[in-house]
Amino acid sequence: MTYIEQYIEENKDRFLKELFGLIQIPSVSSIAENKSDMLKAAEYWKKLLLEAGADRAEVYESDGNPVTYGEKIIDPTKPTVLIYGHMDVMPVDPINLWTSPPFEPEIRDGKIWGRGAEDNKGQSFMHAKAFELMVRTHTLPCNVKFMIEGEEEIGSPNLGKWCEQHKEMLKADIILVSDTSMIARDMPSITTGLRGLAYWQVEVTGPNRDLHSGLYGGAVANPINVLAKLIAQMTDEKGKITIPGFYDDVLDISAEERALLAQAPFNLETYKKSIAVDEVSGEEGFSTTERTGIRPSFDVCGIWGGYMGEGAKTVMPSKAFAKISTRLVPNQDHEKIAVLFKEHFESIAPKSVKVEVTSLHGGQAYGCPITVPAYQAAEKAYLDTYGKRPVPVRSGGSIPIISTFEKVLGIKSILMGFGLDSDAIHSPNENFPLEQFYNGIRTIPLFYKYFAEIK
Amino acid sequence: MTYIEQYIEENKDRFLKELFGLIQIPSVSSIAENKSDMLKAAEYWKKLLLEAGADRAEVYESDGNPVTYGEKIIDPTKPTVLIYGHMDVMPVDPINLWTSPPFEPEIRDGKIWGRGAEDNKGQSFMHAKAFELMVRTHTLPCNVKFMIEGEEEIGSPNLGKWCEQHKEMLKADIILVSDTSMIARDMPSITTGLRGLAYWQVEVTGPNRDLHSGLYGGAVANPINVLAKLIAQMTDEKGKITIPGFYDDVLDISAEERALLAQAPFNLETYKKSIAVDEVSGEEGFSTTERTGIRPSFDVCGIWGGYMGEGAKTVMPSKAFAKISTRLVPNQDHEKIAVLFKEHFESIAPKSVKVEVTSLHGGQAYGCPITVPAYQAAEKAYLDTYGKRPVPVRSGGSIPIISTFEKVLGIKSILMGFGLDSDAIHSPNENFPLEQFYNGIRTIPLFYKYFAEIK
């Protein structure tokens, strides 16, 4: 039994007890009345870090919820790992679908159940315990910093500024994050790409009031008809986005890299069955994983206008609205895309309506080359634990703060997640398998070991 | 002073008092708790007809709200006029926009103000008083029947069956209806055409649940994107509806008839200004009045799906919905069109989604040749009152019960309206100018006179 196994074996019950204490704090960042719980969670994290062996740990104010920062500097000349995690969680509605109460964690069927059990209390807690393990077994090979924020689930609106303000303190060689999933429990993977995002609201105004669809229908532009036509024009029959200049900054992916990405196991039939569609649909010339991993996409996230109640009301509405988003790939700039879309959408609108496009949100894509030392360290660490070399994966999702870290702090992030698709994060009955939880605590010290060696 | 003027002059205050009594009954047919008011209004009408001189008047049950029927048969060999009107009114929301309470009628600025002041209490009441006038002045030249229903504002769902059941009783030569408007106070008009209607709800289903637009966006068909494309395909760049077979039964309108219809004064700039649009929009090759009067139209009356709240939620919804309607012209069959649309819309949907089209509502178009005797009688009556020959007008709206009358009873209707655009029917501050109200009572006896002569 290695020192790692032994330490885990001797302390596993305490680990769970401490994690349960964290989950019991209802730190839902999107609900104002849970504000005081954010401070409780931050103080809880401070205690965790100090007890684990940090030189110092503090609860810092930000323009929003507090950030807990802690560090242990063993030797300023050695490399430094900065751990990022978040203490806030998603709301629990619909509460009646939970088998056990979300803030009363329990073990059932080999899994930890509760809101935050995985995302991100469970996953970030593994780092606290891996850190403790290394300190107590005198195996910590480099400096460690922790930055645990309280606003990830609401888009980290204040952390970028907080990083700016504490740039010096946060200096590190790599940021290590466990806030993603593995392909499967026997198939480790490292997320090397995240898509960016540009998001707008569009408003199409026809007549100045709702009109009788009989008296005016056919003679006045109907804003819903027009909105449908405008949206329809945003993509062509090959699934390409038609906004002029949209693909200008998209990098070509080499055949070699596409082959590597294609190694990730993927079963189209299982995929279709899991979401109950008869056929997938997307850009011609790319596979399903490529369509979400390496290509941008165009989605209407919401649409509304006119009569939405029961039965048949004959009305030509004055206005129609849509929430429109594009997912972007590395090297596309979300601010540039925001302007391109706005200009194009407004310019193709007929003069019979007024169109207003408002940019609501944006985030840069992120890409991490598989050649950086930290990636190789993570690869070796997973290989030790799982007996399999992890697969690099480009996720279709966005974690905008990761590209902010790169921009503000100039540090790459390694997304070393231990979640599984079945964890039901953001949903009722969130859970985290004990096996993955302990595997995380096993694997993280190996990352430090290999990273200190390679670096 | 003619006998008509004299009678009106002597009785005008009583007329208003009696009309006010009718308006004071809040007979809103779409609100269940106003059910007892429907019966009150029906009894009020019975009393009105009996006092005016009907041989008999009864409140009849129907499968819905009661119908008041009354008649005076002066000579079975003489022609019979059947008056149709409705005692029910629209809801009054938003109530705070009313200057005076909707069910407390008052005279202000030469107008009667209140819900139903015009539509249709005011206009149908004119017929009761014109009938009274003819009885009292011994000038009634033919038989009269009244059919006043209580469900017009909810689409007359039960009147067709009621007519079937009382076919014999309702026998008449013409149905006379005042439930439409004149072009302007100095420009009488007779509505000779009404558009029909076919109305559907469509439901597009993509994945079996809402998905993360990042993780799935670009690889799975988004039901809103698809719905927009389907709607966009329903009309072409010339404003023509693309449903195969849609125009098959549309009758060509002769150049002569188009010229006649074009006599109705219409100012495009005023029209655009009134609804605050920079440009009108519609089928190529037709004028604005033709687009609503003699051509069918395609309008999305409502659309919804995905996230409609504040801010940016990134979601690929499972479903998207729309309420879609077409207005039809005489000779198009709404049931045939309902099937044509459903088949076409479902057939062009991609296999990546499921599309369900449900027919919600339909009604036939109606057309009345300007050559029928009753039209000519109405024309002469208006000419006497207004000093101008009325213009035939094809309305873009639908009054489905009018085509039901033709189908069930085999009787044409003359739409002899005295409303004005400024009456704000269905809106707050509904009103009816006293001048129009008394002109109606003046004109209707003339119609009877000319109709009895011509017939």
Side-chain angles (χ1 to χ4, degrees):
Chain A
M1 197 184 262
T2 67
Y3 67 96
I4 293 176
E5 292 307 322
Q6 193 182 338
Y7 191 84
I8 292 175
E9 194 53 45
E10 286 167 8
N11 295 281
K12 60 197 309 182
D13 291 344
R14 179 176 55 84
F15 288 175
L16 285 181
K17 209 180 132 204
E18 290 178 18
L19 173 58
F20 280 20
L22 183 58
I23 296 173
Q24 279 157 7
I25 304 167
S27 48
V28 181
S29 50
S30 60
I31 300 178
E33 61 194 45
N34 294 40
K35 209 78 189 169
S36 66
D37 295 306
M38 301 311 311
L39 189 60
K40 267 187 219 159
E43 293 289 350
Y44 198 94
W45 257 103
K46 176 182 168 182
K47 194 160 157 267
L48 277 180
L49 295 176
L50 289 174
E51 287 177 0
D55 302 333
R56 71 176 188 93
E58 303 287 346
V59 173
Y60 280 74
E61 283 187 0
S62 83
D63 286 356
N65 290 332
V67 179
T68 301
Y69 174 83
E71 62 177 33
K72 185 170 187 72
I73 309 298
I74 56 166
D75 178 350
T77 66
K78 286 192 189 278
T80 300
V81 175
L82 172 57
I83 306 295
Y84 164 73
H86 62 91
M87 64 186 90
D88 63 318
V89 294
M90 288 290 282
V92 297
D93 290 324
I95 183 80
N96 58 312
L97 295 184
W98 287 79
T99 301
S100 53
F103 298 115
E104 297 173 26
E106 63 175 53
I107 305 294
R108 225 166 52 235
D109 308 325
K111 295 172 171 189
I112 309 161
W113 299 83
R115 172 55 85 227
E118 197 258 62
D119 179 21
N120 180 249
K121 287 177 174 172
Q123 289 221 65
S124 55
F125 182 82
M126 299 180 315
H127 286 273
K129 293 301 114 178
F131 169 55
E132 177 195 298
L133 182 157
M134 291 185 284
V135 172
R136 303 273 172 88
T137 58
H138 311 288
T139 55
L140 182 65
C142 57
N143 305 310
V144 189
K145 296 177 176 178
F146 278 84
M147 163 174 59
I148 310 295
E149 74 147 321
E151 300 187 316
E152 198 272 348
E153 299 294 10
I154 53 171
S156 304
N158 300 297
L159 193 61
K161 186 176 165 193
W162 189 86
C163 286
E164 288 272 17
Q165 290 164 341
H166 300 89
K167 222 167 153 175
E168 198 58 33
M169 177 172 88
L170 297 170
K171 271 195 172 164
D173 296 279
I174 194 72
I175 298 173
L176 186 61
V177 185
S178 294
D179 199 16
T180 49
S181 292
M182 291 172 27
I183 292 171
R185 57 187 301 172
D186 56 354
M187 177 61 68
S189 55
I190 300 171
T191 303
T192 58
L194 293 165
R195 289 200 285 187
L197 175 74
Y199 196 112
W200 308 263
Q201 181 159 320
V202 306
E203 177 178 340
V204 179
T205 305
N208 57 355
R209 62 186 188 279
D210 289 1
L211 298 179
H212 190 291
S213 73
L215 300 180
Y216 291 88
V220 176
N222 176 318
I224 304 180
N225 291 30
V226 172
L227 178 59
K229 292 229 181 217
L230 292 174
I231 290 170
Q233 286 176 71
M234 291 298 112
T235 51
D236 66 15
E237 69 288 352
K238 293 185 172 176
K240 277 225 152 28
I241 296 159
T242 55
I243 302 161
F246 185 84
Y247 290 98
D248 282 0
D249 300 326
V250 174
L251 302 173
D252 276 336
I253 307 283
S254 68
E256 290 89 333
E257 192 166 350
R258 285 176 75 177
L260 191 65
L261 291 166
Q263 283 179 2
F266 177 78
N267 184 301
L268 188 59
E269 289 312 310
T270 310
Y271 180 85
K272 290 194 294 188
K273 211 172 271 179
S274 75
I275 53 175
V277 298
D278 292 335
E279 280 189 12
V280 293
S281 167
E283 191 182 354
E284 223 176 270
F286 294 93
S287 72
T288 290
T289 44
E290 286 176 337
R291 283 166 176 172
T292 59
I294 62 174
R295 301 297 293 173
S297 60
F298 178 91
D299 273 291
V300 184
C301 297
I303 194 166
W304 69 101
Y307 182 64
M308 296 174 246
E310 259 189 62
K313 185 178 173 188
T314 53
V315 63
M316 180 192 294
S318 170
K319 285 175 186 288
F321 302 85
K323 306 260 186 191
I324 292 177
S325 80
T326 57
R327 294 284 170 165
L328 309 174
V329 292
N331 206 46
Q332 281 187 297
D333 177 50
H334 75 87
E335 290 180 355
K336 182 177 162 187
I337 295 293
V339 173
L340 285 181
F341 171 77
K342 179 181 164 72
E343 288 179 354
H344 180 58
F345 200 83
E346 290 177 352
S347 75
I348 64 170
K351 288 189 181 134
S352 50
V353 298
K354 290 170 197 74
V355 170
E356 205 185 314
V357 174
T358 311
S359 181
L360 284 190
H361 189 44
Q364 301 296 27
Y366 174 74
C368 175
I370 61 174
T371 48
V372 301
Y375 180 86
Q376 292 166 5
E379 208 175 33
K380 293 180 82 171
Y382 274 118
L383 180 60
D384 283 359
T385 300
Y386 287 91
K388 277 187 189 161
R389 193 172 161 182
V391 177
V393 166
R394 289 194 179 222
S395 165
S398 307
I399 312 182
I401 195 66
I402 299 296
S403 47
T404 302
F405 290 154
E406 185 165 27
K407 194 174 150 201
V408 174
L409 304 174
I411 315 176
K412 285 272 181 202
S413 295
I414 294 293
L415 304 177
M416 193 180 176
F418 294 88
L420 294 179
D421 264 0
S422 53
D423 294 346
I425 63 169
H426 294 205
S427 298
N429 299 313
E430 178 174 351
N431 66 86
F432 194 28
L434 286 169
E435 183 192 6
Q436 290 299 99
F437 175 66
Y438 292 122
N439 275 350
I441 303 175
R442 263 175 205 113
T443 311
I444 293 162
L446 299 172
F447 169 84
Y448 281 79
K449 178 170 161 264
Y450 293 124
F451 182 62
E453 285 173 14
I454 299 168
K455 183 82 190 170
Chain B
M1 195 183 264
T2 67
Y3 67 97
I4 293 176
E5 292 306 323
Q6 193 180 339
Y7 192 83
I8 292 175
E9 195 51 46
E10 287 168 7
N11 294 281
K12 58 197 311 182
D13 291 342
R14 179 176 56 83
F15 288 174
L16 285 181
K17 208 179 132 204
E18 289 177 19
L19 173 58
F20 281 19
L22 183 58
I23 296 174
Q24 280 158 5
I25 304 168
S27 47
V28 181
S29 50
S30 60
I31 300 179
E33 62 194 45
N34 294 41
K35 208 78 189 169
S36 66
D37 295 307
M38 300 312 309
L39 189 61
K40 266 187 220 160
E43 293 289 350
Y44 197 96
W45 257 102
K46 176 182 167 182
K47 194 161 157 268
L48 277 180
L49 294 177
L50 288 174
E51 288 177 359
D55 301 332
R56 70 178 189 94
E58 302 287 345
V59 173
Y60 279 74
E61 284 187 359
S62 84
D63 285 355
N65 289 332
V67 179
T68 301
Y69 174 82
E71 62 177 33
K72 184 170 188 74
I73 309 298
I74 57 164
D75 177 349
T77 65
K78 287 191 187 276
T80 301
V81 175
L82 171 59
I83 306 295
Y84 164 73
H86 62 91
M87 63 185 90
D88 64 317
V89 294
M90 287 291 282
V92 296
D93 291 324
I95 183 81
N96 59 311
L97 296 184
W98 287 78
T99 301
S100 54
F103 298 114
E104 297 175 25
E106 62 175 54
I107 306 294
R108 225 164 51 235
D109 307 325
K111 295 172 171 189
I112 309 161
W113 299 83
R115 170 58 84 227
E118 196 257 61
D119 179 20
N120 180 251
K121 287 177 174 173
Q123 289 221 65
S124 55
F125 182 83
M126 299 179 316
H127 286 274
K129 292 301 115 179
F131 169 55
E132 178 194 298
L133 181 156
M134 291 184 285
V135 172
R136 302 273 172 91
T137 58
H138 310 288
T139 55
L140 182 65
C142 55
N143 305 310
V144 189
K145 296 177 177 178
F146 278 84
M147 164 174 58
I148 309 295
E149 72 147 322
E151 301 188 313
E152 198 271 349
E153 298 295 7
I154 54 171
S156 305
N158 300 295
L159 193 62
K161 185 175 165 194
W162 189 87
C163 285
E164 287 273 15
Q165 291 165 340
H166 300 89
K167 222 167 153 174
E168 198 57 33
M169 177 173 88
L170 297 169
K171 273 193 173 166
D173 297 277
I174 194 72
I175 299 172
L176 186 60
V177 185
S178 294
D179 198 18
T180 49
S181 291
M182 290 173 29
I183 292 172
R185 59 187 300 170
D186 56 356
M187 176 62 66
S189 54
I190 300 171
T191 303
T192 58
L194 294 165
R195 288 201 287 187
L197 175 75
Y199 195 111
W200 308 264
Q201 180 159 321
V202 306
E203 177 178 340
V204 179
T205 305
N208 57 356
R209 61 186 189 278
D210 288 2
L211 299 178
H212 189 292
S213 73
L215 300 180
Y216 290 88
V220 176
N222 177 318
I224 304 180
N225 291 30
V226 172
L227 178 58
K229 291 229 181 218
L230 292 175
I231 290 170
Q233 286 176 68
M234 291 298 111
T235 52
D236 67 16
E237 68 288 352
K238 293 187 172 175
K240 277 226 153 22
I241 296 160
T242 55
I243 301 161
F246 186 85
Y247 290 98
D248 281 2
D249 300 326
V250 174
L251 303 172
D252 277 336
I253 308 282
S254 68
E256 291 88 334
E257 191 165 350
R258 285 176 73 175
L260 190 66
L261 291 165
Q263 284 180 1
F266 176 79
N267 183 299
L268 189 59
E269 288 313 310
T270 310
Y271 181 84
K272 290 195 292 187
K273 210 172 271 179
S274 75
I275 52 174
V277 298
D278 292 336
E279 281 190 10
V280 293
S281 169
E283 190 181 354
E284 224 175 88
F286 294 93
S287 72
T288 290
T289 43
E290 286 176 337
R291 284 166 175 171
T292 59
I294 62 173
R295 299 298 293 174
S297 60
F298 178 90
D299 273 291
V300 185
C301 297
I303 193 165
W304 69 101
Y307 182 66
M308 296 174 247
E310 260 189 61
K313 185 179 174 188
T314 53
V315 64
M316 180 193 295
S318 169
K319 285 174 186 289
F321 302 84
K323 306 260 187 190
I324 292 177
S325 79
T326 57
R327 294 285 169 165
L328 309 174
V329 292
N331 206 45
Q332 281 186 297
D333 177 50
H334 74 87
E335 290 180 354
K336 182 177 164 188
I337 295 293
V339 172
L340 285 181
F341 171 77
K342 179 181 165 71
E343 288 180 353
H344 180 57
F345 200 82
E346 290 178 352
S347 74
I348 64 170
K351 287 189 182 136
S352 50
V353 298
K354 289 167 198 76
V355 170
E356 206 185 313
V357 174
T358 311
S359 180
L360 285 189
H361 189 46
Q364 301 296 25
Y366 174 75
C368 175
I370 61 174
T371 47
V372 301
Y375 181 87
Q376 293 166 4
E379 206 174 34
K380 293 180 82 170
Y382 274 118
L383 178 61
D384 282 1
T385 301
Y386 288 91
K388 277 187 190 162
R389 194 172 160 182
V391 177
V393 166
R394 287 194 179 222
S395 165
S398 307
I399 312 181
I401 196 66
I402 300 296
S403 46
T404 302
F405 290 155
E406 185 165 27
K407 195 175 150 201
V408 173
L409 303 174
I411 315 175
K412 286 271 180 202
S413 296
I414 294 293
L415 304 177
M416 194 179 175
F418 295 88
L420 295 179
D421 263 359
S422 53
D423 294 347
I425 63 168
H426 294 206
S427 298
N429 299 314
E430 178 175 349
N431 66 86
F432 194 30
L434 286 168
E435 183 193 7
Q436 290 300 98
F437 174 67
Y438 292 122
N439 274 350
I441 303 175
R442 261 177 206 111
T443 311
I444 293 163
L446 299 172
F447 169 85
Y448 281 79
K449 178 171 163 263
Y450 293 124
F451 181 63
E453 286 172 14
I454 299 169
K455 182 82 190 168

